[in-house]
Amino acid sequence: MAKTMRVDKLLGHTGWGTRRELKELCKGGHVTINGAVCRDSSQKVDPAADVIAVDGQAVSYEEHIYLMLYKPAGVVSATEDNVSPTVIGLLPRQYQGAGLFPVGRLDKDTTGLLLITNDGTWAHGITSPKQHMDKIYDAGVEGDIPADLGERFAAGIVLDDGLHCLPAQAVQTGPQSLTVVVQEGKFHQVKRMCAAVGLKVVRLHRRSIGSVVLDARLEPGQFRPLTVAEREALKGRSR
Ligand code: URA
Protein backbone atom coordinates (compact mmCIF):
# COMPACT_ATOMS: atom_id res chain seq x y z
CA MET A 1 0.00 0.00 0.00
CA ALA A 2 1.28 3.48 -0.82
CA LYS A 3 2.69 5.40 2.14
CA THR A 4 1.07 8.82 2.06
CA MET A 5 1.79 11.98 4.01
CA ARG A 6 0.50 15.54 4.17
CA VAL A 7 2.00 17.80 1.55
CA ASP A 8 2.94 20.39 4.22
CA LYS A 9 4.84 17.70 6.15
CA LEU A 10 6.76 16.72 3.05
CA LEU A 11 7.57 20.33 2.21
CA GLY A 12 8.55 21.11 5.80
CA HIS A 13 10.86 18.11 5.81
CA THR A 14 12.61 19.43 2.71
CA GLY A 15 13.07 22.93 4.11
CA TRP A 16 10.31 24.86 2.40
CA GLY A 17 9.09 26.48 5.61
CA THR A 18 6.97 26.12 8.70
CA ARG A 19 3.50 24.62 8.63
CA ARG A 20 2.00 28.13 8.71
CA GLU A 21 4.23 29.38 5.89
CA LEU A 22 3.35 26.32 3.83
CA LYS A 23 -0.36 26.94 4.32
CA GLU A 24 0.14 30.39 2.78
CA LEU A 25 2.35 28.97 0.02
CA CYS A 26 -0.42 26.54 -0.93
CA LYS A 27 -3.17 29.15 -0.65
CA GLY A 28 -1.16 31.39 -2.96
CA GLY A 29 -1.17 28.68 -5.63
CA HIS A 30 2.58 28.10 -5.56
CA VAL A 31 2.41 24.35 -4.93
CA THR A 32 1.47 21.73 -7.51
CA ILE A 33 0.91 18.00 -7.21
CA ASN A 34 1.37 16.17 -10.51
CA GLY A 35 0.95 19.49 -12.26
CA ALA A 36 -2.34 20.46 -10.57
CA VAL A 37 -2.37 23.42 -8.18
CA CYS A 38 -2.81 22.34 -4.56
CA ARG A 39 -4.36 25.02 -2.33
CA ASP A 40 -4.95 22.74 0.65
CA SER A 41 -1.76 22.17 2.66
CA SER A 42 -3.29 19.15 4.43
CA GLN A 43 -3.69 17.23 1.16
CA LYS A 44 -2.15 13.77 1.24
CA VAL A 45 0.55 12.79 -1.26
CA ASP A 46 2.52 9.67 -2.00
CA PRO A 47 6.18 10.79 -1.98
CA ALA A 48 7.20 7.73 -4.00
CA ALA A 49 4.73 8.37 -6.82
CA ASP A 50 3.57 12.01 -6.84
CA VAL A 51 5.54 14.90 -8.29
CA ILE A 52 5.37 17.86 -5.94
CA ALA A 53 6.68 21.22 -7.10
CA VAL A 54 6.97 24.73 -5.67
CA ASP A 55 6.78 27.47 -8.30
CA GLY A 56 7.57 24.83 -10.88
CA GLN A 57 10.64 23.52 -9.06
CA ALA A 58 10.34 19.81 -8.33
CA VAL A 59 10.88 18.90 -4.68
CA SER A 60 13.03 15.86 -4.05
CA TYR A 61 12.10 13.98 -0.91
CA GLU A 62 14.03 11.36 1.02
CA GLU A 63 12.60 9.97 4.21
CA HIS A 64 15.95 9.53 5.91
CA ILE A 65 18.97 11.79 5.88
CA TYR A 66 22.51 10.79 6.89
CA LEU A 67 25.21 13.43 7.32
CA MET A 68 28.74 13.70 8.68
CA LEU A 69 29.61 16.97 10.38
CA TYR A 70 33.02 18.24 11.37
CA LYS A 71 31.88 19.44 14.77
CA PRO A 72 33.73 22.58 15.81
CA ALA A 73 34.37 23.49 19.44
CA GLY A 74 31.76 25.73 21.06
CA VAL A 75 28.58 24.08 19.80
CA VAL A 76 26.50 21.56 21.73
CA SER A 77 25.44 18.15 20.42
CA ALA A 78 21.74 18.84 20.73
CA THR A 79 18.77 19.78 18.59
CA GLU A 80 17.92 22.82 20.73
CA ASP A 81 19.62 24.78 23.46
CA ASN A 82 18.70 28.01 25.23
CA VAL A 83 22.27 29.14 25.69
CA SER A 84 24.67 27.73 23.12
CA PRO A 85 24.57 27.18 19.36
CA THR A 86 23.72 23.60 18.39
CA VAL A 87 25.10 21.24 15.78
CA ILE A 88 21.72 21.17 14.06
CA GLY A 89 21.77 24.96 13.86
CA LEU A 90 24.96 24.72 11.77
CA LEU A 91 22.99 23.05 8.96
CA PRO A 92 21.27 25.03 6.21
CA ARG A 93 17.56 25.74 6.30
CA GLN A 94 16.61 22.84 4.06
CA TYR A 95 17.55 20.48 6.91
CA GLN A 96 15.79 22.33 9.71
CA GLY A 97 12.36 20.70 9.42
CA ALA A 98 13.65 17.18 8.86
CA GLY A 99 13.72 15.91 12.45
CA LEU A 100 17.50 15.55 12.48
CA PHE A 101 19.45 14.76 15.63
CA PRO A 102 23.07 14.00 16.49
CA VAL A 103 24.03 10.32 16.81
CA GLY A 104 25.42 10.32 20.34
CA ARG A 105 27.12 13.33 21.84
CA LEU A 106 30.43 15.07 21.72
CA ASP A 107 31.16 17.55 24.51
CA LYS A 108 30.93 21.24 23.70
CA ASP A 109 34.73 21.55 23.53
CA THR A 110 35.27 18.29 21.59
CA THR A 111 35.82 18.51 17.84
CA GLY A 112 35.58 16.01 15.00
CA LEU A 113 33.27 13.46 13.48
CA LEU A 114 29.62 13.69 14.44
CA LEU A 115 26.96 11.78 12.56
CA ILE A 116 23.56 13.38 12.12
CA THR A 117 20.41 11.61 10.99
CA ASN A 118 16.66 11.30 11.40
CA ASP A 119 16.77 7.48 11.28
CA GLY A 120 16.41 6.34 14.90
CA THR A 121 17.02 2.66 14.21
CA TRP A 122 20.25 3.34 12.36
CA ALA A 123 21.42 5.71 15.10
CA HIS A 124 20.70 3.16 17.81
CA GLY A 125 22.85 0.60 16.02
CA ILE A 126 25.79 2.98 16.23
CA THR A 127 25.41 4.18 19.80
CA SER A 128 24.58 0.85 21.43
CA PRO A 129 27.68 -0.52 23.23
CA LYS A 130 26.47 -4.02 22.32
CA GLN A 131 27.54 -3.34 18.73
CA HIS A 132 31.22 -2.96 19.73
CA MET A 133 31.77 -0.19 17.23
CA ASP A 134 35.15 1.50 17.63
CA LYS A 135 35.23 5.26 18.15
CA ILE A 136 38.72 6.68 17.75
CA TYR A 137 39.77 9.85 19.55
CA ASP A 138 42.96 11.91 19.57
CA ALA A 139 43.55 13.56 22.91
CA GLY A 140 45.94 16.19 24.17
CA VAL A 141 46.63 15.64 27.85
CA GLU A 142 48.30 17.20 30.87
CA GLY A 143 50.06 15.03 33.44
CA ASP A 144 52.52 12.15 33.37
CA ILE A 145 51.44 9.46 30.94
CA PRO A 146 51.80 6.15 32.83
CA ALA A 147 54.04 3.50 31.32
CA ASP A 148 51.27 0.91 31.69
CA LEU A 149 48.61 3.12 30.02
CA GLY A 150 47.75 0.53 27.34
CA GLU A 151 47.41 -2.31 29.85
CA ARG A 152 45.18 -0.27 32.14
CA PHE A 153 42.80 0.70 29.34
CA ALA A 154 42.78 -2.88 28.03
CA ALA A 155 41.89 -4.20 31.49
CA GLY A 156 38.81 -1.96 31.62
CA ILE A 157 39.04 1.36 33.47
CA VAL A 158 36.86 1.91 36.53
CA LEU A 159 35.52 5.47 36.59
CA ASP A 160 35.33 7.75 39.63
CA ASP A 161 31.70 6.77 40.27
CA GLY A 162 32.51 3.04 40.19
CA LEU A 163 31.32 2.46 36.62
CA HIS A 164 33.28 -0.26 34.83
CA CYS A 165 34.23 0.56 31.23
CA LEU A 166 34.58 -2.06 28.54
CA PRO A 167 38.17 -2.88 27.60
CA ALA A 168 39.57 -0.05 25.46
CA GLN A 169 42.82 0.90 23.78
CA ALA A 170 45.13 3.80 24.54
CA VAL A 171 48.43 4.53 22.85
CA GLN A 172 50.81 7.39 23.50
CA THR A 173 51.38 9.30 20.24
CA GLY A 174 53.51 12.20 21.47
CA PRO A 175 54.92 13.74 24.68
CA GLN A 176 51.41 14.87 25.73
CA SER A 177 49.11 13.12 23.32
CA LEU A 178 47.22 9.85 23.05
CA THR A 179 44.98 7.95 20.71
CA VAL A 180 42.10 6.30 22.51
CA VAL A 181 39.70 3.71 21.05
CA VAL A 182 36.44 3.05 22.90
CA GLN A 183 33.31 1.10 22.02
CA GLU A 184 30.93 2.90 24.36
CA GLY A 185 29.71 6.46 24.72
CA LYS A 186 29.33 7.10 28.43
CA PHE A 187 29.09 10.73 29.54
CA HIS A 188 32.57 12.35 29.27
CA GLN A 189 33.94 8.85 28.79
CA VAL A 190 37.38 9.57 27.39
CA LYS A 191 38.01 12.46 29.77
CA ARG A 192 36.96 10.35 32.75
CA MET A 193 38.99 7.34 31.63
CA CYS A 194 42.03 9.56 31.31
CA ALA A 195 41.32 11.14 34.71
CA ALA A 196 41.31 7.62 36.19
CA VAL A 197 44.97 7.25 35.14
CA GLY A 198 45.93 10.74 36.34
CA LEU A 199 45.60 12.65 33.05
CA LYS A 200 43.64 15.80 32.26
CA VAL A 201 42.30 15.98 28.70
CA VAL A 202 42.87 19.46 27.29
CA ARG A 203 41.97 18.70 23.69
CA LEU A 204 39.76 15.97 22.25
CA HIS A 205 38.98 15.18 18.64
CA ARG A 206 37.01 12.23 17.22
CA ARG A 207 38.58 10.83 14.10
CA SER A 208 36.28 7.96 13.21
CA ILE A 209 33.30 5.79 14.07
CA GLY A 210 33.51 2.21 12.87
CA SER A 211 34.93 2.36 9.36
CA VAL A 212 33.70 5.91 8.74
CA VAL A 213 36.49 8.48 8.97
CA LEU A 214 36.03 12.25 9.18
CA ASP A 215 36.46 13.55 5.63
CA ALA A 216 39.79 15.43 5.44
CA ARG A 217 38.22 17.91 3.00
CA LEU A 218 35.78 19.20 5.63
CA GLU A 219 36.64 22.26 7.69
CA PRO A 220 35.25 22.67 11.22
CA GLY A 221 31.53 23.46 10.91
CA GLN A 222 31.20 21.88 7.46
CA PHE A 223 29.20 18.75 6.66
CA ARG A 224 28.47 16.41 3.79
CA PRO A 225 25.97 13.60 3.21
CA LEU A 226 27.31 10.13 3.97
CA THR A 227 27.91 7.99 0.94
CA VAL A 228 25.69 4.93 0.60
CA ALA A 229 28.73 2.77 1.35
CA GLU A 230 29.45 4.67 4.59
CA ARG A 231 25.84 4.46 5.67
CA GLU A 232 25.63 0.76 4.91
CA ALA A 233 28.97 0.02 6.60
CA LEU A 234 27.63 1.37 9.88
CA LYS A 235 24.35 -0.44 9.37
CA GLY A 236 26.15 -3.67 8.55
CA ARG A 237 27.76 -3.63 11.97
CA SER A 238 24.51 -2.70 13.65
CA ARG A 239 21.93 -5.36 12.73
N1 URA B 1 34.57 11.34 25.60
C1 URA B 1 34.57 12.53 26.22
O1 URA B 1 35.02 12.66 27.34
N2 URA B 1 34.05 13.58 25.56
C2 URA B 1 33.56 13.50 24.31
O2 URA B 1 33.12 14.51 23.76
C3 URA B 1 33.58 12.25 23.67
C4 URA B 1 34.08 11.19 24.33
Side-chain angles (χ1 to χ4, degrees), residues 23 45 49 85 100 128 135 186-187 197 202 227 234 238:
K23 194 170 185 177
V45 291
L100 292 169
S128 166
K135 284 121 189 157
K186 294 187 202 302
F187 185 59
V197 297
V202 290
T227 64
L234 296 178
S238 70

Side-chain angles (χ1 to χ4, degrees), residues 111-122:
T111 60
L113 176 61
L114 186 69
L115 301 172
I116 292 179
T117 189
N118 52 5
D119 182 345
T121 311
W122 183 79

Side-chain angles (χ1 to χ4, degrees), residues 38-56:
C38 162
R39 291 188 194 274
D40 174 7
S41 60
S42 71
Q43 190 167 323
K44 291 276 178 69
V45 291
D46 174 359
D50 294 325
V51 178
I52 294 98
V54 178
D55 290 332

